[in-house]
Amino acid sequence: MIRSTALALLAAALTATPAMAQTYRDRPPEDEVLYFLLPDRFDNGDTANDRGGLSGDRLVTGFDPASKGFYHGGDLKGVLNRLDYIQALGATAIWVGPIFKNKPVQGPKGQESAGYHGYWITDFTQVDPHFGTNVEFKAVVDAAHKRGIKVYMDIVVNHTADVIQYRECGDCSYRSRADYPYSRKGGVAGAAINPGFAGDGDHSDANFAKLVRPDYAYTPYVPEAERNVKVPAWLNDPIYYHNRGNSTFAGESSTMGDFVGLDDLMTEHARVVAGMIAIFGGWIDRFGIDGFRIDTARHVNPAFWQAFVPAMLARAKARGIPNFHIFGEVADPEVAALARHTRVDTFPAVLDFAFNQAVIDVAGGKGTDRLAKVFAADVLYEGGEKTAHRLPTFVSNHDAGRAATFIQQANPKISHAELLQRVQLAQAMLLLLRGVPTIYSGDEQGFVSDGNDQDAREDLFGSMVASYNDNHLLGTDATTATPSFNTANPLFREIAALARLRTSHPALTRGRQVTRFASDKPGLFAVSRFDPKTGAETVIAFNTSAELWTGNIQVETGSTAFRTLAGACPANAVAPGSLALSLPAFGYTVCAAGAAK
């Protein structure tokens, strides 16, 4: 169903006063609307690079477009070719999944998959040949910048591809520092090694110079065929890795264990800190990118980030990028856990998993107070509400899965029409509430995944994956078997209109947010947002129930006259401090008052 307000929304947005500065470099992070894509699953602009320059079957090249766990052929030329599409959606910045050269295939026999997602890096200095070249990435960045669109890179510091092996075992369990100290080989009863090493708490060059043997827990080695596969060359030495076996994702193993077998870098090591600063500072220098999303941020020790983050911000500033946006992936729905990383690790922002969970719950039929609780905890972030405005918010992503999937799971008997309405409501919450809205590619085309991870990484170009192509998409009779770049899809149109509405009104990008109403039941959720310069109030209300909602919402007593930005708004307050609204099932409205006196 195409909402009747969509075109009115767009017209209002295009005639409003822009909130953004004249040049893209001047825009602060909260002014952006992000569009996140995995290059392999977005568009195939050059079939010649589908196999990454390799010859052989899929276990060599990683290419199998019919398998959800292998490369499909999408690349940087595909991104370049679709900048018109991304801009039409209203995105002002593109978050590009990792593009670094990866180990093409890894995994136990019979369970292999490919590095199409980009998180199994071997060479941190060049683009994976499956995606193109460094020159082609520069072309994407330059072309985006000419349009005023920023480009964020997805980077990995925690680990590399699985190259290092252990002589004692294959799938090795974690061995702690207490049972396997750095000072003994293979346990507390082993031979003395690494004399004078004071432990990983002393991050000095002098201390780590005394760590010369990595066989305190296991005996690590690099297979001959991969001895020099990592770039820069220092990454090939096991001494720069923890080598303690697989993480249990609890206790010390959370930052020192191998992430499902991936080689876990010893980020306490002074050489690793300097090396990573040089690697990623180099990408800023050469390409002039605008931000970093940092993968697996919670699995790296805080001292590393305390050095790395300021170094990247300084590097960007020196390159003429004053608003470089850094945010870490901390996959936890609890605000306290997220906020800790802004205080202890000094992250300027983190991905807002708490917002994600709350919107999924509320749009799926749970009480609207779940959103209110998230916003009430904004004070916990370092910098408080100002920092909360810079948290990238999302309702779907490549790891967590898609909003449509979870809303459908929460309502098994839901009709496709109602599912579309609820998903549109979730996207409206994303684009109208505080934070930096992040749209995951495919959401605007009505993708409904089977689950998370590989199941939520569908192709936007014509797919050959059967489990993708049998899904019923929202707002269309098409499937993912045909290219999904339809600008007439009702979700595309609504997101595009809301994105332009947002970026045209400072209250919706930078405005302070006050919760006006929430309940432990489905129904009304309302907030006011205030223009940071004029103080003018904008009231945003959502109805999460299947019934018409009619009632009054508290507003400022000075907010007396209103104009409609979306939905339907009365011309005047019903009384000083009270606005009467009527919201259809799963509807929303945006009402702007005049400037505060």
Side-chain angles (χ1 to χ4, degrees):
M1 178 182 73
I2 298 176
R3 299 195 178 201
S4 60
T5 59
L7 294 178
L9 262 169
L10 182 56
L14 294 177
T15 57
T17 302
M20 297 183 299
Q22 292 300 308
T23 66
Y24 70 93
R25 292 290 196 208
D26 294 331
R27 296 197 309 258
E30 55 267 40
D31 278 5
E32 309 304 339
V33 174
L34 284 169
Y35 185 74
F36 169 49
L37 61 87
L38 291 175
D40 182 65
R41 303 300 166 91
F42 187 61
D43 198 18
N44 191 347
D46 184 1
T47 58
N49 62 27
D50 287 355
R51 292 171 175 77
L54 302 170
S55 299
D57 63 16
R58 73 176 196 163
L59 296 183
V60 176
T61 68
F63 179 68
D64 183 355
S67 173
K68 64 185 179 181
F70 284 76
Y71 286 98
H72 291 176
D75 49 36
L76 291 171
K77 282 189 177 178
V79 177
L80 183 66
N81 293 343
R82 294 291 181 177
L83 289 179
D84 281 345
Y85 171 84
I86 295 171
Q87 191 165 36
L89 187 62
T92 65
I94 306 170
W95 158 13
V96 181
I99 59 170
F100 311 98
K101 186 176 181 180
N102 268 228
K103 187 172 183 175
V105 178
Q106 64 181 46
K109 187 175 182 179
Q111 301 177 42
E112 301 92 346
S113 61
Y116 69 92
H117 43 67
Y119 296 107
W120 299 342
I121 304 171
T122 54
D123 187 340
F124 285 79
T125 68
Q126 68 168 304
V127 168
D128 191 290
H130 290 87
F131 301 150
T133 65
N134 287 17
V135 171
E136 288 170 346
F137 179 58
K138 185 67 163 56
V140 169
V141 175
D142 290 349
H145 283 171
K146 286 182 180 179
R147 296 167 178 261
I149 297 174
K150 296 181 180 181
V151 178
Y152 293 10
M153 294 185 77
D154 198 322
I155 69 171
V156 186
V157 165
N158 178 64
H159 57 262
T160 71
D162 183 11
V163 173
I164 297 172
Q165 305 298 311
Y166 303 131
R167 298 205 181 276
E168 291 81 359
C169 49
D171 188 18
C172 300
S173 59
Y174 186 77
R175 289 182 169 178
S176 71
R177 288 176 293 184
D179 293 329
Y180 295 86
Y182 295 108
S183 59
R184 296 289 186 269
K185 173 177 167 57
V188 293
I193 58 174
N194 299 319
F197 180 60
D200 52 48
D202 179 349
H203 301 144
S204 67
D205 289 322
N207 182 48
F208 273 97
K210 298 170 185 175
L211 181 68
V212 295
R213 290 185 57 171
D215 54 343
Y216 35 82
Y218 290 104
T219 309
Y221 72 98
V222 177
E224 185 61 36
E226 297 181 294
R227 186 166 295 278
N228 297 305
V229 72
K230 294 180 184 179
V231 180
W234 62 266
L235 287 164
N236 293 295
D237 191 338
I239 201 66
Y240 299 122
Y241 298 82
H242 284 123
N243 304 309
R244 290 187 174 275
N246 287 328
S247 177
T248 65
F249 303 106
E252 71 173 57
S253 82
S254 182
T255 59
M256 294 192 168
D258 295 343
F259 195 102
V260 196
L262 297 168
D263 298 349
D264 195 71
L265 279 156
M266 184 178 278
T267 46
E268 299 85 0
H269 201 301
R271 179 67 182 87
V272 175
V273 176
M276 286 296 167
I277 287 174
I279 287 169
F280 294 113
W283 285 90
I284 295 173
D285 292 345
R286 296 194 305 277
F287 297 93
I289 52 174
D290 305 282
F292 286 149
R293 178 267 191 181
I294 301 180
D295 181 66
T296 51
R298 69 188 305 180
H299 301 300
V300 175
N301 61 303
F304 176 89
W305 300 127
Q306 292 163 11
F308 181 85
V309 170
M312 294 301 98
L313 293 175
R315 198 74 163 254
K317 188 175 181 179
R319 179 65 163 75
I321 311 168
N323 290 298
F324 197 80
H325 195 190
I326 296 177
F327 54 97
E329 180 212 20
V330 179
D332 195 309
E334 297 298 325
V335 175
L338 298 173
R340 174 185 176 275
H341 292 273
T342 66
R343 290 187 175 274
V344 178
D345 297 358
T346 70
F347 269 107
V350 290
L351 270 173
D352 198 345
F353 278 82
F355 177 95
N356 168 247
Q357 188 61 61
V359 170
I360 295 299
D361 287 345
V362 169
K366 295 183 178 178
T368 60
D369 58 349
R370 292 173 183 248
L371 272 170
K373 289 175 182 177
V374 168
F375 297 135
D378 281 351
V379 294
L380 297 179
Y381 294 100
E382 183 68 33
E385 293 178 358
K386 183 176 180 180
T387 295
H389 282 219
R390 296 190 168 191
L391 305 180
T393 51
F394 66 99
V395 298
S396 307
N397 77 12
H398 62 316
D399 291 327
R402 296 190 185 274
T405 306
F406 298 116
I407 293 171
Q408 186 174 58
Q409 288 175 356
N411 301 272
K413 297 181 180 180
I414 195 172
S415 68
H416 287 293
E418 182 178 329
L419 180 58
L420 174 58
Q421 287 181 302
R422 288 183 181 270
V423 170
Q424 285 176 311
L425 188 64
Q427 296 290 347
M429 290 175 174
L430 174 67
L431 284 151
L432 295 172
L433 296 172
R434 73 99 179 101
V436 182
T438 305
I439 302 156
Y440 177 38
S441 62
D443 266 17
E444 77 279 10
Q445 295 296 332
F447 285 10
V448 183
S449 306
D450 293 326
N452 62 357
D453 197 76
Q454 292 182 5
D455 287 329
R457 298 172 180 176
E458 303 96 329
D459 306 299
L460 266 77
F461 61 104
S463 183
M464 297 174 62
V465 179
S467 63
Y468 294 164
N469 295 341
D470 64 4
N471 292 335
H472 186 112
L473 308 187
L474 299 176
T476 179
D477 292 329
T479 72
T480 52
T482 57
S484 299
F485 296 99
N486 178 17
T487 58
N489 185 291
L491 275 162
F492 184 99
R493 294 176 64 187
E494 189 131 10
I495 289 171
L498 286 167
R500 285 172 172 79
L501 178 66
R502 180 185 183 91
T503 56
S504 299
H505 292 272
L508 301 180
T509 53
R510 309 178 195 178
R512 178 172 62 91
Q513 179 174 296
V514 175
T515 297
R516 293 300 193 186
F517 187 88
S519 168
D520 61 356
K521 297 179 177 58
L524 180 68
F525 180 71
V527 302
S528 290
R529 302 196 67 183
F530 297 88
D531 188 291
K533 290 185 177 179
T534 68
E537 181 176 10
T538 297
V539 178
I540 308 165
F542 307 91
N543 179 11
T544 69
S545 77
E547 306 295 331
L548 173 72
W549 184 91
T550 301
N552 299 318
I553 294 174
Q554 179 189 358
V555 295
E556 298 298 298
T557 56
S559 298
T560 57
F562 290 86
R563 69 185 189 279
T564 299
L565 299 184
C569 303
N572 298 290
V574 67
S578 183
L579 182 68
L581 290 179
S582 180
L583 296 170
F586 312 119
Y588 61 90
T589 191
V590 184
C591 307
K597 295 181 180 178

